């Protein structure tokens, strides 16, 4: 098998490219810890790209975003290991995302987008050598042929806002079916079944090849996974692989972050100002029914712990509600234990973490349950009503509903956050406790600047 390092050299002209084509899995020994960590780092990059694309960012913005994400996540303390990390993480995620059609449908375009952005940052020679590796050895259009179609090429360039081709511009003549994106976007001149592709457009050619190779590879990996790997690795890799696609990649919110503990008397105000919709809904249902089923108690209880509700206050809070329905005695007997358990004071004394969006979104609430993510689990009518109640209306509601229809639930929540706070949230919402802490930061800085303005006003008036 090919070694990872050999990926570094592209075959043509010995030009060094840092962009591997991931043709075959490298024969490397990988520590179990790196297996997971590398994959999670790459997943952060792909998730960031996915968020950027669903937010409708432009190509240049996406290129910059991909570059920043790569730099932030794919470094390695040893420079020599950077390429290995790249290759290992790709193959681990291939295993993770080959397993169902839905997973493949997400992974394939994201990896292709990442490849495309990285390819554009390669030097011209490195790009040429990568093309050669894909057997894309197209002939450059000769000078005389260039002159004969120059007017047509200029017409296309003008219509898509590209600079006009000069005499030394390089164009490749490519069978038009090999550049479907360029043809669909009317970005190339086509003559007698051939598209005239500018050197700046070759990324499209290479990305199509990359996508088709990866698509086939995912199907083959899936066959291997179901026929042998899953069984062989059932005690070691399989549980890691199965957990990776739903793993939460953000910070740990088991302890309150960046703000002090909250007290019971402030909780109703905080619900209105800083709770995400999932937690507002649970809170309102608790106040209405004086009861929540297990899923709701866990989702809300751990969230409240993460925002800084102390154990004694948490017990007082739940008791005040539940005693109205089941009586104080039954509460002490049946429910207080699990609250202490969540705070790590009972059982194995584990400090349980509040649930991430991914975990909440993938839950399956049954009849009478109120947990889950409203963007995923509410009917359209109920969601619209809930958004209006939060003060989101008009165009903003339609934007949220549009994301919901496309199953971008976290993005829908991010747009809600932005509408409610009148402030942008570039990182997107990944965790209910992040929603809370970002909201508190914004409100506190608003309070701070309001106080400053008041002080200045008072000084001017004195
Ligand atoms: Fe809650 Fe996350 Fe859904 Fe927002 S996206 S409502 S924070 S689960």
């Amino acid at each position: 098998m090919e070694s990872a390092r050999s990926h570094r050299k592209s075959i043509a002209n010995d030009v060094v490219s840092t962009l591997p084509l991931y043709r075959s899995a490298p024969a490397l020994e990988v520590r179990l810890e790196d297996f997971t960590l590398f994959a999670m780092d790459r997943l952060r990059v792909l998730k960031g790209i996915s968020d950027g694309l669903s937010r409708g960012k432009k190509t240049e913005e996406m290129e910059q975003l991909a570059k920043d994400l790569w730099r932030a996540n794919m470094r390695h303390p040893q420079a020599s290991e950077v390429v290995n990390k790249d290759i290992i993480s790709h193959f681990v995620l291939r295993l993770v995302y080959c397993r169902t059609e839905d997973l493949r449908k997400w992974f394939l375009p994201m990896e292709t987008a990442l490849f495309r952005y990285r390819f554009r940052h390669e030097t011209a020679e490195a790009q040429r050598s990568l093309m050669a590796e894909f057997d894309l050895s197209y002939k450059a259009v000769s000078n005389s042929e260039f002159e004969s179609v120059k007017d047509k090429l200029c017409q296309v360039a003008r219509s898509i806002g590209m600079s006009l081709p000069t005499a030394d511009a390089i164009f490749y003549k490519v069978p038009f079916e090999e550049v479907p994106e360029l043809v669909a976007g009317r970005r190339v001149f086509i003559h007698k079944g051939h598209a005239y592709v500018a050197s700046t457009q070759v990324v499209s050619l290479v990305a199509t090849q990359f996508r088709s190779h990866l698509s086939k590879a995912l199907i083959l990996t899936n066959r291997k996974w179901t026929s042998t790997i899953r069984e062989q690795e059932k005690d070691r890799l399989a549980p890691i692989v199965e957990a990776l696609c739903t793993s939460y990649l953000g910070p740990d919110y088991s302890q309150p972050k960046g703000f002090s503990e909250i007290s019971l008397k402030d909780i109703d105000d905080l619900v209105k100002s800083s709770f995400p919709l999932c937690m507002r809904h649970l809170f309102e249902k608790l106040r209405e029914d004086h009861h929540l089923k297990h899923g709701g108690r866990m989702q809300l209880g751990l969230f409240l712990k993460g925002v800084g509700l102390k154990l004694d206050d948490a017990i007082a809070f739940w008791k005040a509600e539940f005693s109205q329905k089941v009586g104080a005695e039954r509460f002490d007997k049946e429910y207080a234990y699990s609250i202490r358990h969540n705070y790590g004071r009972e059982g194995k004394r584990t400090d349980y973490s509040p649930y991430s969006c991914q975990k909440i979104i993938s839950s399956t609430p049954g009849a009478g349950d109120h947990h889950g993510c409203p963007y995923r689990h509410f009917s359209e009518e109920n969601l619209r009503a809930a958004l209006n109640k939060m003060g989101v209306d008009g165009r903003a509601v339609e934007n949220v509903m549009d994301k919901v229809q496309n199953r971008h639930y976290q993005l829908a929540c991010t747009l809600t956050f932005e509408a409610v706070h009148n402030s942008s949230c570039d990182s997107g919402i990944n965790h209910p406790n992040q929603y809370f802490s970002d909201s508190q930061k914004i409100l506190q800085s608003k309070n701070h600047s309001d106080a400053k303005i008041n002080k200045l006003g008072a000084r001017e008036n004195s």
Side-chain angles (χ1 to χ4, degrees), residues 47-58 61-62 65 402-403 408 410-419 423-429 434:
K47 290 243 151 91
I49 290 178
S50 166
D51 281 356
L53 288 171
S54 40
R55 271 174 168 262
K57 284 192 188 287
K58 298 198 188 91
E61 292 175 311
M62 283 307 302
L65 176 70
D402 181 56
K403 298 300 172 206
H408 296 308
Q410 288 170 234
L411 207 53
C413 187
T414 308
L415 294 186
T416 306
F417 180 98
E418 293 182 341
S423 171
S424 69
C425 173
D426 288 338
S427 57
I429 298 297
Q434 173 218 344

PDB file of all heavy atoms in Angstrom, residues 47-58 61-62 65 402-403 408 410-419 423-429 434:
ATOM      1  N   LYS A  47     -18.032  20.810   8.932  1.00  0.00           N
ATOM      2  CA  LYS A  47     -19.261  21.397   9.482  1.00  0.00           C
ATOM      3  C   LYS A  47     -19.258  22.906   9.241  1.00  0.00           C
ATOM      4  O   LYS A  47     -20.296  23.501   8.953  1.00  0.00           O
ATOM      5  CB  LYS A  47     -19.370  21.114  10.986  1.00  0.00           C
ATOM      6  CG  LYS A  47     -19.632  19.660  11.284  1.00  0.00           C
ATOM      7  CD  LYS A  47     -20.963  19.468  11.969  1.00  0.00           C
ATOM      8  CE  LYS A  47     -21.577  18.152  11.690  1.00  0.00           C
ATOM      9  NZ  LYS A  47     -21.529  16.983  12.272  1.00  0.00           N
ATOM     10  N   GLY A  48     -18.090  23.520   9.402  1.00  0.00           N
ATOM     11  CA  GLY A  48     -17.975  24.966   9.153  1.00  0.00           C
ATOM     12  C   GLY A  48     -18.294  25.275   7.697  1.00  0.00           C
ATOM     13  O   GLY A  48     -19.004  26.246   7.392  1.00  0.00           O
ATOM     14  N   ILE A  49     -17.814  24.441   6.788  1.00  0.00           N
ATOM     15  CA  ILE A  49     -18.099  24.641   5.355  1.00  0.00           C
ATOM     16  C   ILE A  49     -19.595  24.465   5.108  1.00  0.00           C
ATOM     17  O   ILE A  49     -20.229  25.269   4.410  1.00  0.00           O
ATOM     18  CB  ILE A  49     -17.274  23.652   4.495  1.00  0.00           C
ATOM     19  CG1 ILE A  49     -15.797  24.049   4.550  1.00  0.00           C
ATOM     20  CG2 ILE A  49     -17.763  23.626   3.051  1.00  0.00           C
ATOM     21  CD1 ILE A  49     -14.860  23.135   3.801  1.00  0.00           C
ATOM     22  N   SER A  50     -20.159  23.448   5.716  1.00  0.00           N
ATOM     23  CA  SER A  50     -21.589  23.188   5.535  1.00  0.00           C
ATOM     24  C   SER A  50     -22.416  24.383   6.034  1.00  0.00           C
ATOM     25  O   SER A  50     -23.346  24.831   5.362  1.00  0.00           O
ATOM     26  CB  SER A  50     -21.940  21.912   6.298  1.00  0.00           C
ATOM     27  OG  SER A  50     -23.306  21.764   6.444  1.00  0.00           O
ATOM     28  N   ASP A  51     -22.050  24.936   7.194  1.00  0.00           N
ATOM     29  CA  ASP A  51     -22.768  26.107   7.726  1.00  0.00           C
ATOM     30  C   ASP A  51     -22.634  27.289   6.777  1.00  0.00           C
ATOM     31  O   ASP A  51     -23.598  27.981   6.494  1.00  0.00           O
ATOM     32  CB  ASP A  51     -22.194  26.532   9.095  1.00  0.00           C
ATOM     33  CG  ASP A  51     -22.701  25.634  10.199  1.00  0.00           C
ATOM     34  OD1 ASP A  51     -23.534  24.757   9.907  1.00  0.00           O
ATOM     35  OD2 ASP A  51     -22.249  25.802  11.344  1.00  0.00           O
ATOM     36  N   GLY A  52     -21.398  27.514   6.314  1.00  0.00           N
ATOM     37  CA  GLY A  52     -21.145  28.653   5.412  1.00  0.00           C
ATOM     38  C   GLY A  52     -21.971  28.530   4.141  1.00  0.00           C
ATOM     39  O   GLY A  52     -22.591  29.497   3.691  1.00  0.00           O
ATOM     40  N   LEU A  53     -22.024  27.325   3.584  1.00  0.00           N
ATOM     41  CA  LEU A  53     -22.784  27.127   2.339  1.00  0.00           C
ATOM     42  C   LEU A  53     -24.280  27.322   2.586  1.00  0.00           C
ATOM     43  O   LEU A  53     -24.963  27.969   1.792  1.00  0.00           O
ATOM     44  CB  LEU A  53     -22.529  25.725   1.770  1.00  0.00           C
ATOM     45  CG  LEU A  53     -21.135  25.512   1.171  1.00  0.00           C
ATOM     46  CD1 LEU A  53     -20.916  24.041   0.840  1.00  0.00           C
ATOM     47  CD2 LEU A  53     -20.936  26.356  -0.095  1.00  0.00           C
ATOM     48  N   SER A  54     -24.774  26.793   3.707  1.00  0.00           N
ATOM     49  CA  SER A  54     -26.221  26.947   3.903  1.00  0.00           C
ATOM     50  C   SER A  54     -26.591  28.362   4.294  1.00  0.00           C
ATOM     51  O   SER A  54     -27.750  28.755   4.186  1.00  0.00           O
ATOM     52  CB  SER A  54     -26.786  25.910   4.876  1.00  0.00           C
ATOM     53  OG  SER A  54     -25.933  25.701   5.927  1.00  0.00           O
ATOM     54  N   ARG A  55     -25.609  29.143   4.710  1.00  0.00           N
ATOM     55  CA  ARG A  55     -25.887  30.561   4.965  1.00  0.00           C
ATOM     56  C   ARG A  55     -25.823  31.370   3.670  1.00  0.00           C
ATOM     57  O   ARG A  55     -26.014  32.581   3.673  1.00  0.00           O
ATOM     58  CB  ARG A  55     -24.833  31.139   5.909  1.00  0.00           C
ATOM     59  CG  ARG A  55     -25.207  30.980   7.353  1.00  0.00           C
ATOM     60  CD  ARG A  55     -24.069  31.443   8.229  1.00  0.00           C
ATOM     61  NE  ARG A  55     -24.526  31.551   9.586  1.00  0.00           N
ATOM     62  CZ  ARG A  55     -24.899  32.675  10.166  1.00  0.00           C
ATOM     63  NH1 ARG A  55     -24.843  33.812   9.530  1.00  0.00           N
ATOM     64  NH2 ARG A  55     -25.309  32.673  11.410  1.00  0.00           N
ATOM     65  N   GLY A  56     -25.459  30.708   2.574  1.00  0.00           N
ATOM     66  CA  GLY A  56     -25.426  31.383   1.270  1.00  0.00           C
ATOM     67  C   GLY A  56     -24.207  32.273   1.086  1.00  0.00           C
ATOM     68  O   GLY A  56     -24.256  33.270   0.359  1.00  0.00           O
ATOM     69  N   LYS A  57     -23.071  31.936   1.722  1.00  0.00           N
ATOM     70  CA  LYS A  57     -21.859  32.748   1.545  1.00  0.00           C
ATOM     71  C   LYS A  57     -21.367  32.661   0.105  1.00  0.00           C
ATOM     72  O   LYS A  57     -21.543  31.641  -0.553  1.00  0.00           O
ATOM     73  CB  LYS A  57     -20.761  32.263   2.497  1.00  0.00           C
ATOM     74  CG  LYS A  57     -20.971  32.699   3.942  1.00  0.00           C
ATOM     75  CD  LYS A  57     -19.718  32.452   4.752  1.00  0.00           C
ATOM     76  CE  LYS A  57     -19.907  32.666   6.229  1.00  0.00           C
ATOM     77  NZ  LYS A  57     -20.026  34.031   6.661  1.00  0.00           N
ATOM     78  N   LYS A  58     -20.739  33.748  -0.356  1.00  0.00           N
ATOM     79  CA  LYS A  58     -20.250  33.774  -1.744  1.00  0.00           C
ATOM     80  C   LYS A  58     -18.956  32.952  -1.859  1.00  0.00           C
ATOM     81  O   LYS A  58     -18.301  32.666  -0.862  1.00  0.00           O
ATOM     82  CB  LYS A  58     -19.933  35.219  -2.137  1.00  0.00           C
ATOM     83  CG  LYS A  58     -21.132  36.121  -2.102  1.00  0.00           C
ATOM     84  CD  LYS A  58     -20.829  37.368  -2.919  1.00  0.00           C
ATOM     85  CE  LYS A  58     -21.920  38.388  -2.758  1.00  0.00           C
ATOM     86  NZ  LYS A  58     -21.675  39.325  -1.669  1.00  0.00           N
ATOM     87  N   GLU A  61     -15.917  34.306  -0.119  1.00  0.00           N
ATOM     88  CA  GLU A  61     -16.060  34.201   1.340  1.00  0.00           C
ATOM     89  C   GLU A  61     -15.849  32.753   1.783  1.00  0.00           C
ATOM     90  O   GLU A  61     -15.223  32.483   2.810  1.00  0.00           O
ATOM     91  CB  GLU A  61     -17.459  34.643   1.773  1.00  0.00           C
ATOM     92  CG  GLU A  61     -17.726  36.117   1.590  1.00  0.00           C
ATOM     93  CD  GLU A  61     -19.170  36.455   1.922  1.00  0.00           C
ATOM     94  OE1 GLU A  61     -20.077  35.760   1.410  1.00  0.00           O
ATOM     95  OE2 GLU A  61     -19.397  37.404   2.664  1.00  0.00           O
ATOM     96  N   MET A  62     -16.369  31.825   0.968  1.00  0.00           N
ATOM     97  CA  MET A  62     -16.226  30.412   1.305  1.00  0.00           C
ATOM     98  C   MET A  62     -14.764  29.984   1.250  1.00  0.00           C
ATOM     99  O   MET A  62     -14.304  29.208   2.080  1.00  0.00           O
ATOM    100  CB  MET A  62     -17.052  29.544   0.349  1.00  0.00           C
ATOM    101  CG  MET A  62     -18.532  29.517   0.626  1.00  0.00           C
ATOM    102  SD  MET A  62     -18.967  29.075   2.314  1.00  0.00           S
ATOM    103  CE  MET A  62     -18.219  27.478   2.522  1.00  0.00           C
ATOM    104  N   LEU A  65     -13.162  31.230   4.305  1.00  0.00           N
ATOM    105  CA  LEU A  65     -13.658  30.467   5.463  1.00  0.00           C
ATOM    106  C   LEU A  65     -12.974  29.101   5.531  1.00  0.00           C
ATOM    107  O   LEU A  65     -12.502  28.676   6.594  1.00  0.00           O
ATOM    108  CB  LEU A  65     -15.182  30.299   5.354  1.00  0.00           C
ATOM    109  CG  LEU A  65     -15.847  29.444   6.423  1.00  0.00           C
ATOM    110  CD1 LEU A  65     -15.811  30.151   7.773  1.00  0.00           C
ATOM    111  CD2 LEU A  65     -17.305  29.133   6.072  1.00  0.00           C
ATOM    112  N   ASP A 402     -37.598  28.830   6.101  1.00  0.00           N
ATOM    113  CA  ASP A 402     -36.892  28.345   4.918  1.00  0.00           C
ATOM    114  C   ASP A 402     -35.775  27.374   5.323  1.00  0.00           C
ATOM    115  O   ASP A 402     -35.601  26.309   4.729  1.00  0.00           O
ATOM    116  CB  ASP A 402     -36.311  29.572   4.184  1.00  0.00           C
ATOM    117  CG  ASP A 402     -35.590  29.167   2.934  1.00  0.00           C
ATOM    118  OD1 ASP A 402     -36.228  28.518   2.108  1.00  0.00           O
ATOM    119  OD2 ASP A 402     -34.381  29.470   2.812  1.00  0.00           O
ATOM    120  N   LYS A 403     -35.034  27.745   6.382  1.00  0.00           N
ATOM    121  CA  LYS A 403     -33.957  26.854   6.852  1.00  0.00           C
ATOM    122  C   LYS A 403     -34.548  25.555   7.406  1.00  0.00           C
ATOM    123  O   LYS A 403     -33.986  24.482   7.223  1.00  0.00           O
ATOM    124  CB  LYS A 403     -33.126  27.535   7.950  1.00  0.00           C
ATOM    125  CG  LYS A 403     -32.413  28.795   7.485  1.00  0.00           C
ATOM    126  CD  LYS A 403     -31.459  28.522   6.357  1.00  0.00           C
ATOM    127  CE  LYS A 403     -30.891  29.783   5.770  1.00  0.00           C
ATOM    128  NZ  LYS A 403     -30.462  29.673   4.392  1.00  0.00           N
ATOM    129  N   HIS A 408     -32.098  22.566   8.038  1.00  0.00           N
ATOM    130  CA  HIS A 408     -30.955  23.202   8.705  1.00  0.00           C
ATOM    131  C   HIS A 408     -31.453  23.773  10.037  1.00  0.00           C
ATOM    132  O   HIS A 408     -31.664  24.978  10.180  1.00  0.00           O
ATOM    133  CB  HIS A 408     -30.388  24.326   7.837  1.00  0.00           C
ATOM    134  CG  HIS A 408     -29.815  23.854   6.539  1.00  0.00           C
ATOM    135  ND1 HIS A 408     -28.881  22.850   6.479  1.00  0.00           N
ATOM    136  CD2 HIS A 408     -30.026  24.238   5.264  1.00  0.00           C
ATOM    137  CE1 HIS A 408     -28.550  22.630   5.220  1.00  0.00           C
ATOM    138  NE2 HIS A 408     -29.239  23.449   4.461  1.00  0.00           N
ATOM    139  N   GLN A 410     -30.191  23.965  13.158  1.00  0.00           N
ATOM    140  CA  GLN A 410     -29.330  24.837  13.965  1.00  0.00           C
ATOM    141  C   GLN A 410     -29.195  26.213  13.329  1.00  0.00           C
ATOM    142  O   GLN A 410     -29.088  27.222  14.020  1.00  0.00           O
ATOM    143  CB  GLN A 410     -27.955  24.198  14.152  1.00  0.00           C
ATOM    144  CG  GLN A 410     -28.031  23.019  15.105  1.00  0.00           C
ATOM    145  CD  GLN A 410     -26.755  22.219  15.131  1.00  0.00           C
ATOM    146  OE1 GLN A 410     -26.787  21.029  14.932  1.00  0.00           O
ATOM    147  NE2 GLN A 410     -25.637  22.856  15.374  1.00  0.00           N
ATOM    148  N   LEU A 411     -29.233  26.226  12.016  1.00  0.00           N
ATOM    149  CA  LEU A 411     -29.155  27.507  11.328  1.00  0.00           C
ATOM    150  C   LEU A 411     -30.440  28.317  11.565  1.00  0.00           C
ATOM    151  O   LEU A 411     -30.410  29.529  11.733  1.00  0.00           O
ATOM    152  CB  LEU A 411     -28.952  27.243   9.833  1.00  0.00           C
ATOM    153  CG  LEU A 411     -28.251  28.326   9.067  1.00  0.00           C
ATOM    154  CD1 LEU A 411     -26.945  28.688   9.728  1.00  0.00           C
ATOM    155  CD2 LEU A 411     -27.991  27.844   7.655  1.00  0.00           C
ATOM    156  N   ALA A 412     -31.567  27.596  11.594  1.00  0.00           N
ATOM    157  CA  ALA A 412     -32.848  28.259  11.884  1.00  0.00           C
ATOM    158  C   ALA A 412     -32.777  28.887  13.273  1.00  0.00           C
ATOM    159  O   ALA A 412     -33.223  30.020  13.494  1.00  0.00           O
ATOM    160  CB  ALA A 412     -33.985  27.250  11.816  1.00  0.00           C
ATOM    161  N   CYS A 413     -32.166  28.163  14.207  1.00  0.00           N
ATOM    162  CA  CYS A 413     -32.029  28.678  15.575  1.00  0.00           C
ATOM    163  C   CYS A 413     -31.074  29.874  15.588  1.00  0.00           C
ATOM    164  O   CYS A 413     -31.294  30.855  16.304  1.00  0.00           O
ATOM    165  CB  CYS A 413     -31.509  27.551  16.466  1.00  0.00           C
ATOM    166  SG  CYS A 413     -31.466  27.938  18.205  1.00  0.00           S
ATOM    167  N   THR A 414     -30.021  29.801  14.763  1.00  0.00           N
ATOM    168  CA  THR A 414     -29.065  30.916  14.685  1.00  0.00           C
ATOM    169  C   THR A 414     -29.766  32.180  14.156  1.00  0.00           C
ATOM    170  O   THR A 414     -29.555  33.280  14.684  1.00  0.00           O
ATOM    171  CB  THR A 414     -27.904  30.554  13.724  1.00  0.00           C
ATOM    172  OG1 THR A 414     -27.369  29.294  14.116  1.00  0.00           O
ATOM    173  CG2 THR A 414     -26.818  31.604  13.743  1.00  0.00           C
ATOM    174  N   LEU A 415     -30.615  32.002  13.140  1.00  0.00           N
ATOM    175  CA  LEU A 415     -31.322  33.169  12.595  1.00  0.00           C
ATOM    176  C   LEU A 415     -32.285  33.750  13.628  1.00  0.00           C
ATOM    177  O   LEU A 415     -32.466  34.964  13.717  1.00  0.00           O
ATOM    178  CB  LEU A 415     -32.094  32.786  11.324  1.00  0.00           C
ATOM    179  CG  LEU A 415     -31.247  32.370  10.119  1.00  0.00           C
ATOM    180  CD1 LEU A 415     -32.110  32.165   8.893  1.00  0.00           C
ATOM    181  CD2 LEU A 415     -30.166  33.395   9.801  1.00  0.00           C
ATOM    182  N   THR A 416     -32.891  32.866  14.429  1.00  0.00           N
ATOM    183  CA  THR A 416     -33.772  33.338  15.501  1.00  0.00           C
ATOM    184  C   THR A 416     -32.951  34.166  16.502  1.00  0.00           C
ATOM    185  O   THR A 416     -33.357  35.263  16.904  1.00  0.00           O
ATOM    186  CB  THR A 416     -34.421  32.145  16.239  1.00  0.00           C
ATOM    187  OG1 THR A 416     -35.067  31.328  15.273  1.00  0.00           O
ATOM    188  CG2 THR A 416     -35.412  32.610  17.281  1.00  0.00           C
ATOM    189  N   PHE A 417     -31.809  33.614  16.869  1.00  0.00           N
ATOM    190  CA  PHE A 417     -30.923  34.318  17.817  1.00  0.00           C
ATOM    191  C   PHE A 417     -30.596  35.712  17.272  1.00  0.00           C
ATOM    192  O   PHE A 417     -30.667  36.708  17.983  1.00  0.00           O
ATOM    193  CB  PHE A 417     -29.631  33.500  17.996  1.00  0.00           C
ATOM    194  CG  PHE A 417     -28.640  34.122  18.941  1.00  0.00           C
ATOM    195  CD1 PHE A 417     -28.568  33.712  20.265  1.00  0.00           C
ATOM    196  CD2 PHE A 417     -27.773  35.129  18.524  1.00  0.00           C
ATOM    197  CE1 PHE A 417     -27.653  34.288  21.151  1.00  0.00           C
ATOM    198  CE2 PHE A 417     -26.865  35.714  19.395  1.00  0.00           C
ATOM    199  CZ  PHE A 417     -26.798  35.283  20.716  1.00  0.00           C
ATOM    200  N   GLU A 418     -30.232  35.753  15.989  1.00  0.00           N
ATOM    201  CA  GLU A 418     -29.829  37.035  15.388  1.00  0.00           C
ATOM    202  C   GLU A 418     -31.001  38.018  15.372  1.00  0.00           C
ATOM    203  O   GLU A 418     -30.837  39.202  15.638  1.00  0.00           O
ATOM    204  CB  GLU A 418     -29.279  36.803  13.973  1.00  0.00           C
ATOM    205  CG  GLU A 418     -27.967  36.025  14.011  1.00  0.00           C
ATOM    206  CD  GLU A 418     -27.345  35.794  12.639  1.00  0.00           C
ATOM    207  OE1 GLU A 418     -28.060  35.897  11.618  1.00  0.00           O
ATOM    208  OE2 GLU A 418     -26.129  35.498  12.592  1.00  0.00           O
ATOM    209  N   ALA A 419     -32.211  37.501  15.076  1.00  0.00           N
ATOM    210  CA  ALA A 419     -33.383  38.396  15.034  1.00  0.00           C
ATOM    211  C   ALA A 419     -33.713  38.901  16.438  1.00  0.00           C
ATOM    212  O   ALA A 419     -33.993  40.089  16.630  1.00  0.00           O
ATOM    213  CB  ALA A 419     -34.573  37.653  14.439  1.00  0.00           C
ATOM    214  N   SER A 423     -28.243  41.083  16.396  1.00  0.00           N
ATOM    215  CA  SER A 423     -26.787  40.991  16.394  1.00  0.00           C
ATOM    216  C   SER A 423     -26.398  39.706  15.672  1.00  0.00           C
ATOM    217  O   SER A 423     -27.149  38.729  15.721  1.00  0.00           O
ATOM    218  CB  SER A 423     -26.334  40.942  17.864  1.00  0.00           C
ATOM    219  OG  SER A 423     -24.981  40.663  17.946  1.00  0.00           O
ATOM    220  N   SER A 424     -25.231  39.690  14.999  1.00  0.00           N
ATOM    221  CA  SER A 424     -24.913  38.487  14.226  1.00  0.00           C
ATOM    222  C   SER A 424     -24.286  37.407  15.121  1.00  0.00           C
ATOM    223  O   SER A 424     -23.749  37.712  16.191  1.00  0.00           O
ATOM    224  CB  SER A 424     -23.973  38.828  13.082  1.00  0.00           C
ATOM    225  OG  SER A 424     -22.741  39.170  13.624  1.00  0.00           O
ATOM    226  N   CYS A 425     -24.388  36.172  14.657  1.00  0.00           N
ATOM    227  CA  CYS A 425     -23.823  35.044  15.410  1.00  0.00           C
ATOM    228  C   CYS A 425     -23.092  34.182  14.393  1.00  0.00           C
ATOM    229  O   CYS A 425     -23.631  33.207  13.875  1.00  0.00           O
ATOM    230  CB  CYS A 425     -24.956  34.278  16.088  1.00  0.00           C
ATOM    231  SG  CYS A 425     -24.443  32.764  16.889  1.00  0.00           S
ATOM    232  N   ASP A 426     -21.855  34.595  14.051  1.00  0.00           N
ATOM    233  CA  ASP A 426     -21.143  33.950  12.948  1.00  0.00           C
ATOM    234  C   ASP A 426     -20.796  32.493  13.209  1.00  0.00           C
ATOM    235  O   ASP A 426     -20.700  31.701  12.285  1.00  0.00           O
ATOM    236  CB  ASP A 426     -19.861  34.733  12.613  1.00  0.00           C
ATOM    237  CG  ASP A 426     -20.217  36.047  11.938  1.00  0.00           C
ATOM    238  OD1 ASP A 426     -21.338  36.133  11.389  1.00  0.00           O
ATOM    239  OD2 ASP A 426     -19.391  36.981  11.968  1.00  0.00           O
ATOM    240  N   SER A 427     -20.571  32.171  14.493  1.00  0.00           N
ATOM    241  CA  SER A 427     -20.177  30.786  14.770  1.00  0.00           C
ATOM    242  C   SER A 427     -21.361  29.832  14.644  1.00  0.00           C
ATOM    243  O   SER A 427     -21.178  28.618  14.586  1.00  0.00           O
ATOM    244  CB  SER A 427     -19.577  30.696  16.170  1.00  0.00           C
ATOM    245  OG  SER A 427     -20.533  31.171  17.094  1.00  0.00           O
ATOM    246  N   GLY A 428     -22.586  30.360  14.592  1.00  0.00           N
ATOM    247  CA  GLY A 428     -23.770  29.493  14.520  1.00  0.00           C
ATOM    248  C   GLY A 428     -24.060  28.886  15.883  1.00  0.00           C
ATOM    249  O   GLY A 428     -23.189  28.858  16.759  1.00  0.00           O
ATOM    250  N   ILE A 429     -25.306  28.431  16.084  1.00  0.00           N
ATOM    251  CA  ILE A 429     -25.668  27.831  17.380  1.00  0.00           C
ATOM    252  C   ILE A 429     -25.441  26.322  17.314  1.00  0.00           C
ATOM    253  O   ILE A 429     -25.976  25.642  16.458  1.00  0.00           O
ATOM    254  CB  ILE A 429     -27.159  28.126  17.721  1.00  0.00           C
ATOM    255  CG1 ILE A 429     -27.392  29.641  17.863  1.00  0.00           C
ATOM    256  CG2 ILE A 429     -27.591  27.394  18.977  1.00  0.00           C
ATOM    257  CD1 ILE A 429     -26.650  30.322  18.983  1.00  0.00           C
ATOM    258  N   GLN A 434     -24.554  27.426  24.712  1.00  0.00           N
ATOM    259  CA  GLN A 434     -23.821  28.456  23.959  1.00  0.00           C
ATOM    260  C   GLN A 434     -24.789  29.586  23.615  1.00  0.00           C
ATOM    261  O   GLN A 434     -24.442  30.761  23.683  1.00  0.00           O
ATOM    262  CB  GLN A 434     -23.234  27.850  22.688  1.00  0.00           C
ATOM    263  CG  GLN A 434     -22.598  28.851  21.747  1.00  0.00           C
ATOM    264  CD  GLN A 434     -22.866  28.529  20.279  1.00  0.00           C
ATOM    265  OE1 GLN A 434     -23.268  27.413  19.945  1.00  0.00           O
ATOM    266  NE2 GLN A 434     -22.671  29.495  19.419  1.00  0.00           N
TER     267      GLN A 434
END
